[in-house]
Every structure is written in structure tokens, then in C-alpha cells.
Amino acid sequence: MGLLTVAKVAVENTAYSFDMLFDYSVPDYLSQVVSPGKRVLVRFGNSSKTRVGIVFSVESGVITEKNLKEISSVIDNEPLFTHEMLKTANFVRDRYFCTYFDACKLFLPLGLSMSVSTSYAVNPDFDGIISGVKENEIYEFLKNKKKFTKSERIISACALKKNASLLDKMVEAGVLLRNIDTQRRVNDATIKMVRLKVNPENESELIDTLTKKQKEVVNVLSDVGIASVKELCYFTGFSVAVITALENKGILELYDDEFLRMPYETYDSFEQKEILLSDEQNKAFNGLLELYDDSSPKGALLFGVTGSGKTQIYLKLIDEALKDDKGIVVMIPEISLTPQMLSLFYDRYGSQVAVFHSSLSIGQRLDEWKRVRRGDAKIALGTRSAIFAPFQKLGLVIIDEEQEHTYKSEMTPRYHAREVAQYRIGCHNGLLVLASATPSIDSYTKAQCGIYSLFKLKQRYGDACLPDVQTIDTTYQSDMVLENISNQLADEIKDNFDNHKQTILLLNRRGYNTYASCTECGTVATCPNCSISLTYHIKNNRLMCHYCGYSVPYSTKCNNCNNDTVKFKGMGTQKLEEELSLIVPDAKILRMDTDTTSSRYSYEKYFKSFENGEYDIMVGTQMVAKGLNFPDVTLVGVLSVDQMLYNDDYKSGERAFDLITQVVGRSGRGVHPGKAFIQTSFPDSEIVQMAKEQDYESFYNSEIPIRKNMIYPPFCDLCVIGFSSENEYSVNKASLLFLESLKRIHSDKYNNVKIIVLGPVTPRVSKIGGKYRNRIIIKCKNDKNFRKMISELLKEFNKNKEQENVNIYADINPESII
């Protein structure tokens, strides 16, 4: 027992069942460099393997009886995490049932992740006797090797068990030496630079001995000072050999200089045009600015019809935050929205903008993160990962289309960006602005209750007006010339093309045909790994699964009855594209779905082309429905919403209203009036009628009593406990055992926690990627006691050896419960 300096460390690759901040002693030689927010190397458990850890706190003068392991080394020169970031990681871990390290990783780009390798060599100073057959085998294997050998190679060559501790015992006995290396996943990008080592005026005799080419290189460097090797060769027209010769003579030196991999072309000079707001916009802006100037954290909902000019208000707010030298996060729900928003932001703010989304390369994401951390970029623009941008001072967070499901992560940690934004902005006493034409029921309820300040924009900006919207009843369309486009809509598409205006058509199903079935026995072609039908894709002539990627060649032969009677049914975007070419054969058609936008920068390329008038019609899934602004689009068609209208999920009405309202809002955003047509078998549906009128408040007033009576959010929280396994019996058994444990622990320890339990229930798609699924749905209040109860149950479940082949997770307020 004695006085120690102890660090509390989050360690990678720990199971949730025993995750905590682990105590490690700080050796004296590291006492000046170990600090909160830095990554360290530590030995963990009984394994010989070294792991990466993150220091959360350091306390000196600790009296402990524990025999603590020491921190082996420190990875980072400067802390990667601020105090606020560590607090936010703690919040994420507590709220979303993940480990400390997994919560911390959200703040770091993938390129910063470290791989740790341990290698061994024979100790040349060892002169003792080696006992043991395996020890001698290892010694003989290593003794003639000149370099350290990685542990994996030794384990394989000497048939040791994985994570064998024998190697470390030989180190402790002095037989072997151990070396631990860390390697970053992506290194900094560097460029070879050149500068003079001598002053040509003081070394005239030396310069006189140079060749004509060498003298010219020296003259160029005398003028510019520093240049890259590439630039120097370009401007002089000489090869690298001339530069190398000068380096060998000691006249110049070469060195590596870091450069940042910019994902897009940016500008150091930019033009901040004055933004002219309408009276309605100005009222909203002044209200938001007043909240921003308040010294306490605030939240606001900017609720405006499509095309009402919410973005102009964002920009004015951002201008104010930049004057205060504070960081700004602007989140958008889809990568598809990035090009238009980026163009707008780059034109106004230049290289002050950093971009965060999954289509960037690992190196680009790393360098954008660096620009924010260094203070070179003050605005982080991107999808949900942008909320973890490493700002020291965060003043403003804007979430555009805040109702979108993409702000909720479906992977561990299963966080919601809106909740993380609310926590982070609270730590910095900043302003959170949620914006939408169709706010989530939860956010609008908070605005109605005064938790958020509410600002409304009821008119479109400038001369634009809301489109004329009509429904087309497809129940009795027996005279339809085409399978999926009504005659009325077909005529409108022709007229719009003849008038040299653009059209957007929404069909939220990709592929050519949506399923294939046998007309003889009724068998539907399904994926062997997932309980979902296969979709036919005409481009590659294959049936494909949209969940796991499984595919098989097209065939009309039924696998069940062997008859040549398989027919394809249903329409996807590929078939719609084909039908359109029959209606308007001269039109240039752009199809936007995940099949056409898989390559990097495809969104930028295609949307720019459409904006420039290179295409007449854009066909797409929901990626074309929201946030896009094309002034020449005067016609929008919604081809199928019926499946969304009558889904089993409690959010089905909200999603259908949102999608219809948003896509209709793409029409008539310029000086020309717009039209929109909704094809449906249920034209009298209240949701269709309210979406047609863009009447969100009526929709909200009709939806909220249903939620209240059924006890669904916002009148409760939902916690889904999910189970998955390759064995169907195991997953069903595990869910029943968890339910029994829940009943027991609730009765014994947490009977003051009010819950309603549904299930176990099998999801609509009961099998994905070869794993069967089951779930328990808990209606609850997501407070500290509830989370403590669920955390205990998860840890108890994971410690049960009988459940080792079953994966379990907890998801708070998932976007879908079916």
C-alpha cells in the first residue's frame, strides 16, 4: 500500500458486461505526460496483448491496496478529447448502453485509430538455462532472426494458443525482449519540399562550381524561398536528379511538409452577399438571435413551409456566431443534400467550412477533422457524424430536416444526433436550432410545451408560391396505357417537357421489378439469408437482396415446382425509367437511387447536371424528396404512397405525411408556378389530404390524440431489446429468458419504475444476413433508474454462458418497432 498517481482509463475491446473506467498507476517517468483526453497503451486482464486506452481522469496521492498495472506508454502528444467531449462520451455511454471506448470513438475519425503489435526477439545478454519444451522451441525459432518477430507469427510457427502468455513469461525470465509498436490506420499526407541550406551571396565560390541547371534551381529558390519538388521541377523544366545533386552538395535540403487532403475545391477568398429577409423571416431571425445571445443553453424549432427561406435565416445566424469565434455545426440528413448545401456554404464561407460524411475517403475525413481541431475551419457541415466535430467552443448547432430517421444510428452506439446535439450545446451554453416543414411529433410537442422556442414561416420566400396539388385515384385506372403511370400524369409529364420545364418523380423502391413469383404454385423468390423477397435488376439481369446483397441470375424457372412459370411483378425505379422513355422518348432521364449513386461524388455530378438543365426528368427514391432546390422544376409526381399509409408501425402516418409534403414542396420553388400529383388508391385519406394542403398543424392535431391513447412517444419512451442468432430456437429462448429476468428484477428492485412490456415479438423481417431476430418492446420513461435496470439486465444476460451464441442490444426510441 502506498501513494500513487492513478489514471482512470477506458479500454478498447471490453465487453459491455464488465465495462468501466479501469484504474492504472502512472509511473514516475510518465507523470508529466499522462493527462485526460490522451490515448495510452495498457496491459489488460490476463492476456499478454497490449490495448489502447483513453484517459478520463488522473488523480495524484491515491492510497490503494490494489496491485495496479502501470500505463505502458502514451500515444498522443496532445489530448484528443476536451473535458466536454469526455463528458459527452459519458452521456452517450449511459444513455445508449455502449462501452466508454465505443462512445469515445465517435469523436475520432477512422484514420486516427491505432493498431497495436507486439514483437519479440532473443535477449543477447541471456546466458541462463531454458527449461520447457515449448520455451526451447520458441528460443530456437527466434535465435537466428536479426529483427523482432511479431507475436502472431511466433504463435503460428510454434503452435501456441492464441494470446499465449508463455512469451511474456520468457520476457520476465530475461530470455526474450519485447517491443510494442503502434501504427495509425492512415498517416498524415506529406509533400516533399525544398529550401536552401546556404546563402548564395555568402557562398559565391561554391555557387560558381555548379552547373548551369543547378545555378538556375538555386536562383529560383532564392526568389521564392521554399517550393515543393514537383513545383520546382515544373517551373525549371529540370528532372529531380538536379535537385538530388544539389542536396548531396549540401546546398539545399529536402523535408516533408504536411498537406491536407481537401475533399472539395475550397476558396480562401469568398463573397458574403447581404441577405435580405422578408418581414416574416426577420421576425424569426431576431427571435433566434436573442436566444443565441443569451448566456444559457437554448433550443428552438424553426417551422416553415417548404421553400420559406429557412436557409437564409441559418446563414444570418452563422454570421453572428462567426463574429464570436465560435464553432458551428450544420447537419443535413442525407449525403444527397450535401452538394447544393456545400456550394452555398463554400461560396459564402470558403475554407472555413469542413465537411463530414461517409462518402469521403478515410484520409479526407481525417484531414477535415484536423482543420476543425486546429481552428482553421469554424463550420462543420455534414450528416449525423458532424455533431462530433472537435470544436473547443461550440456556439450554434443547426439540424436541417430534423425529423429525418437518418439522424438515428442503427449501429452501436445507437445514438440520436439530436439528443447528442442538445447535450453538447448545453455544455457550451449555445443555441440548438431544429428546422423543418414537417417537424417530428416529438419536437413539435416540446415546442408546444415551451421546452423549445417556436418560430413559424407560413409563406414561401420571394415570388414563389406553394404548388397546386391534385390526387389521382388509381383504384379504377383500367384504361391506363402504362402499368404504373396514370394517363393524367403521363399527359402532364409530356406538357411539362414540351414547355421546357423539369419534372421530379418519386418512387421509393429501387430495382426493376420488386418481386418474382411463380404463377403455378405461388412461390415467391426470397433471399436464403433474409426473410425478404428478391428484387429484379435489369442492368445486371439478376435477382438481388436489398438487405444483405445476395444475388442470383435471372431465371423464369421456379425452384419449388420446376415449372417455367416465374413472373416478375411490381415496379422499381429502373422500370419507371423505362416507362418514361415511352411517354417522352426525347427526354433525358436521370435516375437517382443507391444503384446509380454508389461512386464517390456521384451526387455532386448528377445534381449539378440536373441543375444545369442537362436532364429533363429526375426519377428517384426518397433521396430526391427533401431539401433540394431546383428553380426549373414545375412538376412533381408521387407514384406510390399506399404502402406507407397503412404500415403497422406507429410512425407510419408521420412518415407518409412527411414524404408527401416534402416531395410536393420541390415543385414551383422558382418564378414559375408548380404542380404536383399524388397517385393513390386512397385519395380521401386524411393524411393524403393534409399533405396535399401542406397542413402540418392539422396533421399534428389529428395524430397526437392517437399517440396519447395508445401510449406512444411523445407520451413515453420506447426501449427495444433486440436478440439475434443463427439458431432460431436460441433466439426465441433467449428473449423469453430475458423477459423472465425483467419481471424478476422489476419486482425485486425496481418496482417504482413504470413500464409496459410488449412481446417477445418477431420483426416483420425476421431474418437478416443469416441471423434470426426477436425483440421485446418496453414503454417507459427513459430516466436514470430505468437505464440502471436495463444495464443490469444486459450485463447479467451477457455473463450467462448459455447465451453466448445470441447477440443482444438495447435501442432507445428506434425509428421503427417493426
Side-chain angles (χ1 to χ4, degrees):
M1 184 166 64
L3 294 175
L4 295 172
T5 298
V6 175
K8 290 195 174 293
V9 180
V11 181
E12 69 175 337
N13 300 328
T14 57
Y16 180 76
S17 57
F18 58 82
D19 180 62
M20 64 178 73
L21 294 177
F22 297 93
D23 289 342
Y24 283 87
S25 67
V26 180
D28 291 340
Y29 69 92
L30 292 178
S31 60
Q32 299 301 311
V33 290
V34 172
S35 60
K38 288 185 178 181
R39 292 175 299 175
V40 293
L41 293 180
V42 294
R43 305 293 289 267
F44 186 78
N46 296 322
S47 169
S48 63
K49 199 168 183 180
T50 301
R51 300 191 188 184
V52 176
I54 297 167
V55 178
F56 267 65
S57 64
V58 180
E59 187 176 351
S60 299
V62 177
I63 301 175
T64 178
E65 295 180 358
K66 298 178 184 177
N67 184 21
L68 298 179
K69 292 187 176 78
E70 288 187 344
I71 289 176
S72 302
S73 62
V74 179
I75 296 173
D76 304 306
N77 295 324
E78 298 291 335
L80 296 182
F81 299 87
T82 64
H83 176 66
E84 175 268 313
M85 292 175 191
L86 293 176
K87 279 182 65 179
T88 302
N90 195 38
F91 165 81
V92 170
R93 188 236 182 210
D94 173 65
R95 192 170 183 85
Y96 304 111
F97 306 104
C98 65
T99 66
Y100 280 107
F101 197 89
D102 283 342
C104 288
K105 281 198 324 186
L106 293 170
F107 282 96
L108 298 182
L110 194 59
L112 271 185
S113 60
M114 306 295 294
S115 62
V116 181
S117 63
T118 308
S119 52
Y120 299 85
V122 167
N123 184 355
D125 298 328
F126 178 74
D127 58 0
I129 299 173
I130 301 171
S131 59
V133 176
K134 276 294 176 188
E135 287 87 339
N136 272 288
E137 186 180 344
I138 293 168
Y139 185 84
E140 290 298 321
F141 176 72
L142 292 175
K143 73 176 183 180
N144 294 323
K145 298 192 180 298
K146 296 179 181 180
K147 297 181 179 179
F148 278 84
T149 304
K150 288 188 176 182
S151 59
E152 292 83 2
R153 188 177 174 193
I154 303 171
I155 290 169
S156 175
C158 300
L160 303 177
K161 292 181 180 178
K162 198 174 183 182
N163 296 329
S165 60
L166 186 57
L167 295 169
D168 292 305
K169 289 179 180 177
M170 293 178 71
V171 172
E172 292 169 9
V175 180
L176 301 180
L177 299 175
R178 179 176 55 223
N179 182 54
I180 299 171
D181 288 320
T182 57
Q183 186 173 1
R184 227 168 65 187
R185 180 161 183 172
V186 174
N187 292 321
D188 296 328
T190 58
I191 186 170
K192 193 67 73 177
M193 303 295 291
V194 188
R195 61 189 169 202
L196 290 172
K197 286 183 71 175
V198 300
N199 186 333
E201 294 181 1
N202 298 335
E203 300 288 345
S204 57
E205 291 184 5
L206 179 60
I207 300 300
D208 289 340
T209 65
L210 302 179
T211 66
K212 183 179 178 181
K213 289 182 178 180
Q214 290 170 350
K215 286 178 181 178
E216 189 170 339
V217 169
V218 171
N219 289 336
V220 171
L221 287 175
S222 297
D223 290 337
V224 300
I226 297 172
S228 70
V229 170
K230 187 176 181 181
E231 289 172 331
L232 201 54
C233 291
Y234 176 78
F235 285 116
T236 61
F238 306 147
S239 69
V240 178
V242 180
I243 298 171
T244 304
L246 287 168
E247 182 190 22
N248 293 336
K249 292 181 178 182
I251 293 177
L252 53 78
E253 64 178 345
L254 275 67
Y255 65 98
D256 290 326
D257 189 27
E258 183 186 9
F259 76 93
L260 299 179
R261 291 155 285 209
M262 305 291 281
Y264 305 95
E265 184 181 356
T266 58
Y267 319 99
D268 290 325
S269 59
F270 44 86
E271 184 180 1
Q272 286 202 334
K273 296 179 180 177
E274 183 182 359
I275 297 173
L276 299 177
L277 301 181
S278 67
D279 292 342
E280 189 179 48
Q281 287 176 308
N282 210 47
K283 183 179 177 181
F285 167 71
N286 287 331
L288 289 168
L289 184 59
E290 186 177 337
L291 293 177
Y292 171 78
D293 288 335
D294 196 308
S295 58
S296 59
K298 291 288 189 298
L301 175 62
L302 182 58
F303 167 42
V305 297
T306 55
S308 56
K310 295 183 286 292
T311 306
Q312 285 99 325
I313 297 174
Y314 303 164
L315 298 177
K316 292 262 297 185
L317 274 175
I318 290 168
D319 292 346
E320 296 300 320
L322 287 174
K323 291 176 187 175
D324 295 336
D325 196 33
K326 290 184 178 179
I328 300 123
V329 173
V330 181
M331 281 188 278
I332 51 179
E334 298 265 4
I335 297 173
S336 62
L337 302 183
T338 308
Q340 283 202 337
M341 194 70 87
L342 254 184
S343 177
L344 182 68
F345 272 65
Y346 276 158
D347 287 346
R348 188 168 185 83
Y349 303 112
S351 57
Q352 292 184 91
V353 180
V355 188
F356 291 79
H357 63 71
S358 59
S359 284
L360 303 183
S361 70
I362 295 175
Q364 288 170 340
R365 278 181 264 179
L366 171 62
D367 290 352
E368 292 292 85
W369 179 89
K370 284 181 191 174
R371 293 204 304 118
V372 171
R373 187 167 181 267
R374 294 170 181 175
D376 298 335
K378 292 295 184 183
I379 303 168
L381 172 66
T383 50
R384 65 171 179 257
S385 61
I387 192 53
F388 298 102
F391 287 112
Q392 303 285 329
K393 295 188 298 179
L394 185 60
L396 178 64
V397 175
I398 297 168
I399 306 182
D400 194 31
E401 306 293 356
E402 64 85 25
Q403 80 285 354
E404 277 299 300
H405 68 92
T406 51
Y407 289 123
K408 178 75 163 69
S409 171
E410 295 181 351
M411 305 285 288
T412 300
R414 289 178 162 81
Y415 68 91
H416 199 297
R418 185 173 58 224
E419 293 174 345
V420 177
Q422 192 165 329
Y423 185 85
R424 287 201 76 186
I425 211 69
C427 293
H428 291 270
N429 292 319
L431 173 62
L432 170 65
V433 179
L434 309 176
S436 179
T438 53
S440 64
I441 296 290
D442 181 66
S443 294
Y444 198 73
T445 301
K446 287 180 178 177
Q448 295 287 78
C449 296
I451 297 172
Y452 296 147
S453 299
L454 178 61
F455 301 93
K456 295 183 180 180
L457 301 173
K458 297 183 178 181
Q459 302 296 323
R460 277 197 161 180
Y461 180 71
D463 297 328
C465 56
L466 290 169
D468 173 34
V469 186
Q470 300 178 37
T471 54
I472 299 173
D473 189 348
T474 56
T475 308
Y476 305 107
Q477 292 280 340
S478 57
D479 59 339
M480 283 174 58
V481 177
L482 298 172
E483 183 179 345
N484 296 286
I485 302 175
S486 65
N487 294 342
Q488 184 179 355
L489 182 56
D491 290 340
E492 292 289 342
I493 293 169
K494 291 177 190 174
D495 289 344
N496 209 48
F497 173 71
D498 291 340
N499 291 327
H500 307 290
K501 295 292 181 275
Q502 291 178 305
T503 299
I504 292 178
L505 297 178
L506 170 72
L507 178 62
N508 207 19
R509 292 192 299 269
R510 66 187 176 100
Y512 189 82
N513 293 107
T514 51
Y515 68 99
S517 62
C518 177
T519 56
E520 191 70 29
C521 68
T523 300
V524 176
T526 58
C527 174
N529 307 315
C530 310
S531 53
I532 195 77
S533 61
L534 296 172
T535 300
Y536 176 60
H537 286 244
I538 196 170
K539 294 295 182 182
N540 58 5
N541 202 33
R542 297 180 74 86
L543 288 167
M544 298 182 67
C545 174
H546 289 172
Y547 278 82
C548 71
Y550 170 85
S551 71
V552 290
Y554 159 84
S555 174
T556 56
K557 180 168 283 189
C558 176
N559 289 333
N560 183 51
C561 65
N562 287 323
N563 287 318
D564 196 31
T565 50
V566 171
K567 299 293 182 184
F568 295 100
K569 299 179 181 179
M571 178 176 69
T573 50
Q574 290 181 0
K575 188 171 184 181
L576 175 58
E577 181 183 15
E578 188 178 275
E579 286 199 355
L580 281 170
S581 64
L582 299 175
I583 298 172
V584 276
D586 295 331
K588 294 179 181 177
I589 301 168
L590 172 63
R591 177 164 56 87
M592 294 293 291
D593 54 32
T594 52
D595 296 315
T596 60
T597 58
S598 56
S599 62
R600 190 178 297 174
Y601 305 127
S602 53
Y603 293 104
E604 289 89 332
K605 173 186 172 184
Y606 291 135
F607 282 142
K608 191 68 176 175
S609 297
F610 189 75
E611 187 176 14
N612 292 338
E614 296 173 32
Y615 292 94
D616 305 298
I617 303 172
M618 180 158 61
V619 174
T621 53
Q622 63 181 7
M623 68 175 66
V624 306
K626 302 168 187 180
L628 299 171
N629 184 27
F630 299 113
D632 284 337
V633 171
T634 55
L635 176 64
V636 163
V638 183
L639 270 66
S640 177
V641 293
D642 295 352
Q643 188 176 7
M644 293 186 68
L645 284 172
Y646 299 102
N647 207 315
D648 295 335
D649 195 276
Y650 78 99
K651 279 190 173 183
S652 60
E654 184 178 357
R655 289 197 196 97
F657 178 86
D658 170 48
L659 189 64
I660 297 170
T661 303
Q662 292 283 354
V663 72
V664 161
R666 298 314 105 201
S667 179
R669 297 172 74 92
V671 296
H672 305 288
K675 291 182 181 180
F677 292 86
I678 305 167
Q679 290 190 172
T680 175
S681 299
F682 307 98
D684 296 326
S685 160
E686 284 190 354
I687 291 175
V688 171
Q689 289 300 318
M690 289 182 289
K692 174 181 170 182
E693 299 298 326
Q694 302 248 318
D695 188 355
Y696 175 84
E697 288 172 314
S698 293
F699 166 73
Y700 176 84
N701 291 331
S702 67
E703 180 76 6
I704 206 71
I706 300 172
R707 299 278 184 97
K708 186 174 184 179
N709 291 334
M710 299 296 291
I711 315 178
Y712 275 113
F715 299 100
C716 74
D717 291 298
L718 293 179
C719 178
V720 170
I721 308 297
F723 308 85
S724 65
S725 173
E726 293 179 356
N727 184 291
E728 187 174 11
Y729 171 77
S730 295
V731 82
N732 292 334
K733 178 184 175 184
S735 59
L736 290 170
L737 287 174
F738 187 93
L739 180 61
E740 291 303 314
S741 298
L742 173 59
K743 291 178 181 177
R744 172 182 50 78
I745 198 172
H746 183 263
S747 175
D748 293 347
K749 293 178 64 177
Y750 295 97
N751 52 25
N752 61 329
V753 176
K754 294 182 180 180
I755 57 174
I756 299 172
V757 182
L758 307 176
V761 293
T762 302
R764 175 179 292 170
V765 182
S766 59
K767 184 183 178 186
I768 292 180
K771 290 191 174 183
Y772 295 92
R773 308 191 301 155
N774 212 333
R775 58 181 55 175
I776 293 171
I777 301 168
I778 307 171
K779 296 181 179 181
C780 61
K781 181 182 179 183
N782 183 23
D783 57 16
K784 188 175 182 179
N785 279 341
F786 174 77
R787 291 194 296 271
K788 186 177 179 183
M789 178 180 74
I790 296 300
S791 181
E792 282 188 36
L793 285 165
L794 292 173
K795 290 177 180 179
E796 179 184 296
F797 181 92
N798 284 321
K799 288 177 181 177
N800 187 342
K801 298 294 183 183
E802 294 181 14
Q803 310 301 334
E804 283 185 346
N805 65 338
V806 178
N807 296 318
I808 184 173
Y809 67 87
D811 192 359
I812 295 293
N813 292 324
E815 285 300 308
S816 173
I817 59 172
I818 62 170

